[in-house]
Amino acid sequence: MAIAGMSDCAPLNAKLAHVDPGHPGYRLRRIDETQPPDPRDRIFVVVTLSGGGTRAAAFGYGALEALRDLTVPVDGRAVSLLSELDVISSVSGGSFAAAYYAAFGPEKFFSDFPKDVLHRHIETALAFKVLAPWNWPLLWSPYFSRSDLAADYYERRIFGGKTFSELPERPLIVLNATDLTAGAPFPFLQDSFDALCSNLDPFPVGSAVASSSAFPVGFPPLTLRNWNATDDCGYEPSKAIVNAIKGGPEANAHDYERATERFSFTTPERRYLHLSDGGISDNLGVRAVLAGLVSGVPDLPILQRVNGGRIDKLVVITVDAKPGVAIKKDHGRRAPTFLTVLSRAASAPMANYSTDSVAWLQESIDTDAAFVLDAIAAGGVTLPHCFDYYGVHVQFENAPPEIKERLKHIGTRLELPKKDVALLIDEGRRQVGQSKELARLLRDLKDPETFPCPSPPDE
């Protein structure tokens, strides 16, 4: 029998009758200057989880375990650094960990995630669903694919039917897919869905994970309906988007590209969006964070909090499960097979682009920190501003030599041997637990001269 409740057309995202910019939805809200500062913003922690199947999910799990075990002094009491976690931005395999953590909370995440995801035979289950004769009528439809079967499996078996309306405000998870037409990241946030005249609240978390992890060839793109192309919901592109388009690429190429991609949703030609693996456009999940610090059209308005003096310590932990370079294909004269070439064409640019993204993130934050200091100095403030940035890059290259080679050769499948999962968890936990940057953070948090930041004197 076919899957209960399914037709030969995969369900589409819900229509939003009217866009209300004041409606919170699932997003990192812009702060109102009249609002009192949120104490949780003083230490603002962002974790990004890369792509890489179960390898990435296990590596990220270990990193989050270490954050749970690290304690920091806040308001005179010791709390877990994990309790200060504000944003998890993820792609592909990392999205399984991010979504599960948000959907079920830390207690169930640390007790059940290994059983429910890391040790689960996901590939085998999906293969059975594809081979099951009762599902063939679904797969023969041009409007239903293996990715839709995967989305249904994730929703039912892993995420318990959870929707975005059921996720907590913090940490905000940013599940990133790739808009294939624009070649740009598409984050599952209400800001993105506003531009589609769509409501993210009833959208299944499992379907978002399926979109984020729809690796090319193996999993076809998933489809969203762009209601904005045919219906007027009152969506107005923000002033930042309009100004970025007016300024053109000469003024700010990055903002211009982001603005034109978002503005394209208003055109009648774009009635549907086709979403594929988030790693195609950003295999580390850092682009949304970077845009939140340097872009005029961010989905994560982090810079607004920094410039408003809401954030004292900004911590960005990048968990990078980038593999090693397999050179065995170069042992012989025969050219690699078509499938090998196709796989490398999809994955190599992701990995190379990731390295550039991390470097750009570090440089941009250093520049922004200098800008904040200059702005305060220009305002006549004599007290030093103690905003600081702590960047942690967890990667296989940091592993001990005897472990590094084993890590690099673990595949990106959705099923791994338990010994490989254990190795990945241990190494992710070790690197975060022994991070020099986090040790510096702990020292600074104990220094009353730097935390909490002293307020400037009254004028």
Side-chain angles (χ1 to χ4, degrees), residues 99-109 116 158-160 162 167:
Y100 195 99
Y101 183 92
F104 299 111
E107 183 176 349
K108 182 173 173 59
F109 177 75
D116 288 349
I158 296 178
F159 297 104
K162 293 272 188 177
L167 300 184

Side-chain angles (χ1 to χ4, degrees), residues 33-362:
E33 292 183 0
T34 63
Q35 290 176 306
D38 188 335
R40 295 176 299 176
D41 275 351
R42 292 192 307 179
I43 307 173
F44 200 91
V45 181
V46 179
V47 171
T48 73
L49 301 179
S50 79
T54 298
R55 181 184 69 199
F59 205 40
Y61 177 86
L64 292 173
E65 267 194 334
L67 292 183
R68 177 199 61 186
D69 297 338
L70 285 173
T71 57
V72 295
V74 177
D75 296 330
R77 57 193 179 91
V79 301
S80 168
L81 184 55
L82 189 69
S83 68
E84 296 294 321
L85 181 59
D86 295 281
V87 175
I88 307 178
S89 178
S90 64
V91 296
S92 199
S95 290
F96 284 92
Y100 195 99
Y101 183 92
F104 299 111
E107 183 176 349
K108 182 173 173 59
F109 177 75
F110 291 117
S111 65
D112 293 350
F113 184 71
K115 167 179 65 71
D116 288 349
V117 177
L118 299 181
H119 298 150
R120 196 182 198 99
H121 298 297
I122 296 178
E123 284 184 11
T124 302
L126 295 180
F128 275 127
K129 291 175 79 69
V130 171
L131 295 174
W134 50 84
N135 286 329
W136 292 351
L138 293 172
L139 295 172
W140 289 334
S141 168
Y143 307 113
F144 199 96
S145 70
R146 295 187 303 277
S147 292
D148 295 302
L149 281 178
D152 177 76
Y153 179 79
Y154 300 160
E155 290 169 28
R156 294 169 182 265
R157 301 297 184 182
I158 296 178
F159 297 104
K162 293 272 188 177
T163 65
F164 279 86
S165 65
E166 299 173 79
L167 300 184
E169 180 181 316
R170 293 200 186 198
L172 182 88
I173 59 164
V174 187
L175 305 177
N176 295 280
T178 297
D179 174 359
L180 281 180
T181 296
F186 182 90
F188 279 83
L189 295 171
Q190 187 56 51
D191 297 277
S192 303
F193 272 58
D194 280 348
L196 304 178
C197 289
S198 184
N199 185 6
L200 180 60
D201 279 353
F203 197 85
V205 172
S207 290
V209 172
S211 297
S212 179
S213 59
F215 190 80
V217 183
F219 294 94
L222 282 92
T223 300
L224 293 183
R225 175 69 185 271
N226 178 17
W227 302 101
N228 201 357
T230 55
D231 298 279
D232 182 12
C233 65
Y235 171 75
E236 293 288 342
S238 68
K239 290 183 179 179
I241 290 177
V242 173
N243 291 337
I245 293 175
K246 285 182 178 179
E250 296 82 7
N252 188 316
H254 183 263
D255 280 8
Y256 177 77
E257 287 184 5
R258 286 177 54 81
T260 52
E261 188 262 342
R262 190 60 57 85
F263 191 77
S264 72
F265 298 154
T266 64
T267 61
E269 292 79 12
R270 297 209 70 188
R271 297 192 176 194
Y272 296 91
L273 265 71
H274 302 288
L275 303 179
S276 195
D277 194 297
I280 297 174
S281 55
D282 170 20
N283 199 40
L284 282 181
V286 301
R287 306 299 287 187
V289 179
L290 181 60
L293 289 162
V294 302
S295 173
V297 287
D299 291 309
L300 300 174
I302 301 173
L303 180 60
Q304 184 191 23
R305 284 171 162 77
V306 174
N307 286 343
R310 308 287 179 116
I311 296 177
D312 293 354
K313 309 296 181 189
L314 175 62
V315 183
V316 179
I317 302 169
T318 302
V319 183
D320 179 2
K322 175 183 176 181
V325 178
I327 60 175
K328 63 182 181 180
K329 298 296 181 183
D330 295 336
H331 289 176
R333 179 178 178 181
R334 178 178 294 181
T337 65
F338 170 75
L339 289 178
T340 299
V341 172
L342 196 59
S343 175
R344 289 298 296 162
S347 60
M350 297 181 193
N352 295 335
Y353 191 43
S354 298
T355 302
D356 293 340
S357 296
V358 172
W360 187 19
L361 177 65
Q362 179 66 61

